[in-house]
């Protein structure tokens, strides 16, 4: 009995002596260049900073120690491969990877956040493998029957869409189910914010007090708070800007009308492809108390003016000629184009990002 008690006491002492003032990241790379250099980077608000480096052992082993009083993101880089990790002081994390893997698969273990990130990576990679297999199958089928390309696309698209949606659904579920883990923040930020605005707003609401000292999370929450201010039901932010003909256009001057703010640019191909739909909507509804203000993100005034003429955009156009840094673009939290907002006669946002038939249907139902 004394021996058992002594053994348990020794184990307790061993755990208690674990260094909580730093974290450790170690592991092994297969198929690495002998004596290759390995780097550890910190990631703060999307800025990577090298904080340590080492050389692989003959067996491909490496080890780092770092300081992270609060849980944060790090990245290990070797040759042309890089691996994201989440760590805090007291963690002892193991990273294993085969550098010959085309999908940069890697295994993590040794800490709660590492386990969550491993879970995310494992399941996400399963979907990526399915997508890769479908793409390979598509290329092979087209190579055998090039004249049947469109038929092959029609045949394979449903399965491709199903797998892509499965991946999106998994990422969203993982993020919402693991809001106490920073791995959820990594997951939700792998999605395009323009396509999943409502989901990101809901996620922000759930994590708003979870990672108070993490700069990336704080910045995200600030951005979501600003995005919340331009949701349907909110007043459209006031603006005033130069027009294409040297005058000034202000949102306040359009009160009493339904106004569509159309954010676009001459260099934006999806915008130019959508322009015929916008022209059609304008011509159809301009006599029903409806108008459009085109807000260009161009920096080149000549290119902007030429595109307006080429595409037959006969409504009012304004621009600060400052890309995504335009005051108005930032006020409306536009981070991808085309983007649009429909504002009612009282100045309230009543719809966002409607295109094609969806835009026509909304205007036909709304305008009197």
């Amino acid at each position: 009995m004394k021996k058992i008690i002594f053994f348990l006491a020794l184990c307790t002492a061993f755990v208690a002596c674990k260094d909580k003032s730093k974290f450790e990241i170690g592991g092994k790379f297969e198929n690495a260049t002998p004596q290759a250099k390995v780097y550890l980077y910190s990631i703060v608000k999307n800025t990577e900073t090298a904080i340590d480096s080492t050389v692989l052992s003959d067996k491909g082993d490496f080890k780092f120690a770092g300081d992270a009083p609060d849980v944060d993101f790090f990245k290990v880089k070797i040759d042309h491969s890089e691996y994201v990790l989440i760590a805090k002081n007291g963690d002892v994390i193991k990273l294993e990877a085969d550098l010959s893997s085309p999908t940069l698969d890697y295994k993590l273990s040794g800490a709660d956040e590492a386990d969550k990130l491993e879970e995310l990576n494992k399941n996400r990679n399963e979907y990526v493998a399915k997508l890769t297999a479908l793409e390979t199958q598509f290329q092979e089928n087209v190579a055998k029957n090039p004249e049947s390309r469109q038929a092959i696309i029609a045949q394979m698209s449903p399965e491709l869409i199903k797998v892509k949606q499965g991946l999106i659904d998994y990422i969203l579920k993982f993020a919402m189910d693991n809001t106490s883990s920073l791995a959820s923040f990594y997951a939700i930020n792998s999605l395009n914010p323009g396509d999943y605005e409502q989901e990101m707003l809901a996620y922000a609401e759930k994590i708003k007090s979870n990672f108070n000292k993490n700069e990336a999370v704080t910045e995200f929450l600030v951005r979501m708070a600003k995005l919340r201010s331009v949701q349907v039901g909110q007043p459209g932010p006031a603006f005033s800007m130069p027009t294409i003909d040297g005058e000034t256009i202000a949102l306040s001057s359009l009160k009493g009308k339904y106004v569509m703010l159309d954010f676009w640019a001459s260099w934006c191909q999806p915008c130019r492809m959508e322009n015929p739909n916008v022209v059609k909507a304008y011509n159809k509804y301009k006599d029903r108390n409806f108008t459009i203000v085109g807000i260009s993100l161009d920096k080149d005034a000549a290119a902007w003016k030429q595109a307006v003429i080429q595409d037959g955009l006969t409504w009012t156009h304004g621009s600060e000629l400052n890309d995504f840094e335009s005051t108005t673009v930032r006020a409306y939290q536009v981070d991808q184009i085309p983007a649009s907002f429909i504002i009612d006669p009282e100045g309230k946002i009543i719809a966002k990002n409607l295109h094609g038939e969806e835009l026509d249907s909304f205007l036909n139902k709304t305008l009197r």
Side-chain angles (χ1 to χ4, degrees):
M1 179 63 74
K2 286 183 179 180
K3 287 183 178 179
I4 294 174
I5 292 173
F6 174 76
F7 176 74
L8 291 174
L10 186 63
C11 289
T12 303
F14 179 77
V15 172
C17 289
K18 186 168 129 179
D19 189 354
K20 298 284 189 178
S21 66
K22 63 181 180 180
F23 66 83
E24 292 182 6
I25 297 173
K28 186 173 185 177
F29 288 120
E30 301 289 345
N31 293 306
T33 304
Q35 301 294 305
K37 200 78 173 285
V38 189
Y39 299 88
L40 177 65
Y41 287 78
S42 67
I43 307 175
V44 179
K45 296 197 296 186
N46 293 324
T47 299
E48 298 178 9
T49 304
I51 57 175
D52 202 355
S53 65
T54 188
V55 174
L56 284 184
S57 72
D58 293 337
K59 295 181 179 180
D61 298 316
F62 70 94
K63 181 177 285 188
F64 291 115
D67 179 28
D70 299 291
V71 62
D72 217 333
F73 290 101
F74 296 87
K75 184 178 285 186
V76 172
K77 291 187 179 184
I78 176 171
D79 295 335
H80 301 294
S81 301
E82 51 186 52
Y83 307 92
V84 173
L85 306 96
I86 300 172
K88 66 179 184 305
N89 287 345
D91 288 346
V92 179
I93 298 171
K94 185 177 182 181
L95 185 161
E96 298 174 283
D98 185 342
L99 297 189
S100 66
S101 168
T103 55
L104 295 179
D105 295 342
Y106 62 110
K107 294 181 180 180
L108 291 170
S109 59
D112 291 342
E113 289 285 1
D115 292 343
K116 280 296 176 185
L117 199 53
E118 166 70 10
E119 176 189 339
L120 172 65
N121 288 338
K122 178 178 179 296
N123 287 285
R124 188 168 56 183
N125 286 339
E126 289 177 2
Y127 282 102
V128 172
K130 290 177 184 178
L131 290 171
T132 301
L134 285 170
E135 176 62 24
T136 300
Q137 183 182 345
F138 170 75
Q139 296 296 344
E140 290 174 351
N141 290 348
V142 170
K144 291 176 184 176
N145 300 286
E147 71 285 352
S148 303
R149 181 183 179 87
Q150 293 304 315
I152 293 169
I153 290 174
Q155 178 188 8
M156 297 189 67
S157 285
E159 182 63 19
L160 186 63
I161 292 170
K162 179 181 176 182
V163 176
K164 283 183 176 179
Q165 190 58 51
L167 173 59
I168 298 301
D169 291 344
Y170 170 73
I171 290 173
L172 289 170
K173 186 175 188 306
F174 178 90
M176 297 303 285
D177 287 351
N178 295 280
T179 50
S180 61
S181 166
L182 202 58
S184 68
F185 180 71
Y186 177 68
I188 199 82
N189 278 278
S190 68
L191 301 178
N192 187 332
D195 294 333
Y196 300 97
E197 197 171 271
Q198 295 305 314
E199 291 84 353
M200 288 194 167
L201 286 168
Y203 173 78
E205 191 65 26
K206 291 190 72 172
I207 68 159
K208 60 184 179 183
S209 59
N210 288 6
F211 309 103
N212 293 332
K213 295 182 180 179
N214 187 283
E215 291 185 49
V217 173
T218 299
E219 188 177 71
F220 171 78
L221 292 175
V222 169
R223 182 158 49 89
M224 289 299 106
K226 291 178 179 178
L227 185 59
R228 196 170 282 110
S229 71
V230 289
Q231 294 302 296
V232 170
Q234 298 298 314
F239 67 82
S240 177
M241 66 172 63
T243 65
I244 202 166
D245 54 7
E247 302 294 327
T248 299
I249 179 68
L251 181 62
S252 58
S253 68
L254 299 168
K255 193 167 184 179
K257 283 182 171 287
Y258 286 92
V259 182
M260 176 173 158
L261 304 181
D262 181 33
F263 292 84
W264 72 295
S266 66
W267 45 260
C268 168
Q269 285 306 309
C271 303
R272 304 293 294 274
M273 291 173 66
E274 180 61 21
N275 276 345
N277 292 325
V278 183
V279 170
K280 181 181 177 182
Y282 179 72
N283 290 334
K284 185 174 180 179
Y285 297 106
K286 64 182 179 180
D287 296 325
R288 290 168 64 176
N289 199 33
F290 171 74
T291 192
I292 297 175
V293 176
I295 300 177
S296 171
L297 277 70
D298 279 284
K299 286 188 170 183
D300 184 336
W304 168 38
K305 293 174 182 178
Q306 183 179 18
V308 168
I309 295 169
Q310 284 181 340
D311 293 2
L313 313 181
T314 56
W315 47 86
T316 301
H317 291 273
S319 179
E320 294 166 90
L321 298 175
N322 200 22
D323 202 68
F324 285 93
E325 297 307 309
S326 159
T327 302
T328 306
V329 171
R330 294 175 71 176
Y332 279 83
Q333 297 299 298
V334 173
D335 57 15
Q336 66 177 29
I337 51 175
S340 64
F341 297 77
I342 298 179
I343 298 174
D344 74 5
E346 285 70 48
K348 184 174 66 177
I349 298 170
I350 57 173
K352 294 177 63 172
N353 299 324
L354 301 181
H355 306 292
E357 291 302 319
E358 192 178 20
L359 172 62
D360 181 78
S361 176
F362 179 84
L363 292 176
N364 189 50
K365 179 175 62 177
T366 304
L367 302 179
R368 295 289 181 263

